[in-house]
Amino acid sequence: MDLEMLSSDDSACCTTDDETRKSHHSEKTKKDLITRLNRVEGQIRGIKGLIEKDTYCDDVINQIASTQAALNGVAKLLLDRHMRSCVVDRINEGDLDVVDEVLITIQKLMKK
């Protein structure tokens, strides 16, 4: 399979300037990520409110699980964009170290 075919039109491109790594996401991707994070932020505030109101523990735990799932959704979207752009670009440039980097990142995500 040609790795260039995996790159999407909505992809981000990770760059390294002066040893600082950055991502450049499309406006659509940024909007989606920010919308999801705003939702997670609201869920966190809601959990805090439940605890302040002495809500039944099981109900609070269910809200925490929902919030974790939403945050995992943000991570999945970022990983998808990263794989389809930054990783493909670096492999096409002959930089295979990116594979180890991605595997470490996936291991960190799976610990949770």
Side-chain angles (χ1 to χ4, degrees):
M1 173 187 286
D2 184 10
L3 291 177
E4 290 184 38
M5 292 174 41
L6 289 175
S7 205
S8 71
D9 293 334
D10 184 42
S11 65
C13 182
C14 299
T15 60
T16 304
D17 295 328
D18 301 326
E19 298 187 26
T20 302
R21 297 188 305 178
K22 294 185 178 183
S23 291
H24 300 283
H25 300 288
S26 70
E27 289 304 313
K28 180 182 181 301
T29 298
K30 278 185 189 180
K31 183 178 179 183
D32 191 16
L33 289 168
I34 290 169
T35 297
R36 289 168 181 251
L37 288 170
N38 285 340
R39 195 172 306 129
V40 169
E41 186 177 25
Q43 288 175 300
I44 295 291
R45 283 193 305 271
I47 291 167
K48 182 180 174 186
L50 293 175
I51 291 172
E52 290 170 344
K53 295 175 187 173
D54 295 321
T55 303
Y56 185 62
C57 294
D58 194 53
D59 295 337
V60 176
I61 292 168
N62 285 327
Q63 287 302 312
I64 291 170
S66 176
T67 303
Q68 287 172 327
L71 198 51
N72 285 341
V74 173
K76 287 177 191 176
L77 178 61
L78 275 171
L79 182 60
D80 178 81
R81 298 299 190 263
H82 184 59
M83 294 289 296
R84 292 179 187 277
S85 61
C86 304
V87 173
V88 170
D89 291 346
R90 287 177 60 185
I91 289 173
N92 283 334
E93 293 169 1
D95 181 3
L96 298 181
D97 290 339
V98 71
V99 174
D100 291 330
E101 180 183 288
V102 170
L103 289 173
I104 290 168
T105 299
I106 292 171
Q107 288 173 353
K108 288 177 184 177
L109 283 172
M110 293 179 73
K111 285 182 183 180
K112 299 176 184 202

